[in-house]
């Protein structure tokens, strides 16, 4: 019950903050000069659209690139640790202990 109430409030807060519930919002208006310039030329609105799409796509591209790079670095470090641990185990056939370092052997 508590979790369902919490999730419902979270969804409601997200909807209100993201503008899904547009009860108090109004339309954005362009200045008259921009509106007239865009209506008289046929290619300019398309250029504005592509520039907006490009600007929206760049942060996603950059963050995706950094995310992939960090993932590959962490995977490489984990592989190196695993190889080092395997090499240490295979050097003696068993893990090194303090008795082996002193030259004593288990009987």
């Amino acid at each position: 019950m508590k979790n369902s109430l919490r999730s419902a409030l979270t969804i409601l807060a997200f909807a209100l903050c993201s503008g899904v519930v547009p009860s108090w919002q109004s339309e954005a208006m362009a200045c008259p000069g921009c509106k007239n310039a865009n209506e008289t030329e046929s290619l300019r609105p398309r250029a504005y659209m592509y520039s907006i799409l490009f600007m929206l796509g760049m942060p996603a591209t950059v963050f995706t690139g950094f995310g992939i790079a960090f993932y590959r670095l962490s995977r490489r470090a984990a592989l190196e640790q695993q190889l080092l641990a395997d090499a240490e185990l295979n050097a003696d056939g068993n893990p090194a202990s303090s008795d082996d370092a002193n030259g004593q052997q288990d009987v």
Side-chain angles (χ1 to χ4, degrees), residues 2-3 18 34 58 86:
K2 189 175 182 180
N3 288 334
S18 65
C34 294
M58 283 310 297
D86 290 344

Side-chain angles (χ1 to χ4, degrees), residues 86-96:
D86 290 344
E88 187 176 297
L89 285 175
N90 291 334
D92 292 331
N94 58 6

Side-chain angles (χ1 to χ4, degrees), residues 40-88:
T40 58
E41 294 186 32
S42 62
L43 295 178
R44 189 172 289 179
R46 183 175 294 161
Y48 281 142
M49 180 192 68
Y50 285 133
S51 68
I52 290 170
L53 292 176
F54 178 74
M55 286 187 287
L56 288 173
M58 283 310 297
T61 304
V62 169
F63 288 134
T64 300
F66 278 117
I68 289 172
F70 288 139
Y71 172 74
R72 292 177 75 186
L73 284 173
S74 67
R75 197 173 66 180
R76 183 180 297 155
L79 180 63
E80 288 175 0
Q81 283 182 339
Q82 182 65 36
L83 290 175
L84 183 64
D86 290 344
E88 187 176 297

